[in-house]
């Protein structure tokens, strides 16, 4: 699990690097990187969310606690 997160974070760090490489090669500067930052930050947040979710599930499994019950809709029968 930690290896998968490390690979995801490394790949995410490579994304701005590749953008910077092509940007500076064409003389565009930092602007393409700054334009892409919301997407990069969204991907970072999703990787972090998934890692935290998996760590909490692993801790719950080690303690022997049951999984949280599935949420039902307002009109579902019990």
């Amino acid at each position: 699990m930690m290896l998968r997160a490390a690979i995801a974070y490394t790949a995410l760090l490579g994304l701005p690097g590749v953008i910077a490489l092509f940007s500076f090669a064409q003389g565009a500067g930092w602007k393409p990187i700054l334009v892409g930052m919301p997407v990069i930050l969204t991907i970072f947040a999703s990787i972090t969310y998934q890692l935290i979710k998996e760590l909490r599930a692993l801790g719950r499994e080690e303690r022997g606690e049951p999984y949280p019950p599935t949420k039902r809709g307002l009109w579902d029968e019990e």
Side-chain angles (χ1 to χ4, degrees):
M1 174 176 50
M2 295 303 280
L3 177 63
R4 184 171 56 174
I7 291 170
Y9 283 123
T10 304
L12 181 63
L13 287 176
L15 186 62
V18 169
I19 295 170
L21 181 71
F22 285 108
S23 175
F24 289 131
Q26 302 214 349
W30 289 97
K31 189 165 184 169
I33 298 171
L34 295 176
V35 169
M37 282 310 272
V39 173
I40 293 169
L41 291 175
T42 302
I43 295 170
F44 176 80
S46 66
I47 293 170
T48 304
Y49 173 76
Q50 185 66 31
L51 177 63
I52 291 170
K53 194 168 113 176
E54 289 178 4
L55 285 174
R56 289 184 69 195
L58 183 64
R60 189 180 308 118
E61 185 178 301
E62 287 177 355
R63 289 189 304 267
E65 295 176 4
Y67 289 103
T70 57
K71 294 183 180 179
R72 295 178 176 254
L74 295 174
W75 293 278
D76 291 342
E77 294 180 17
E78 291 189 22

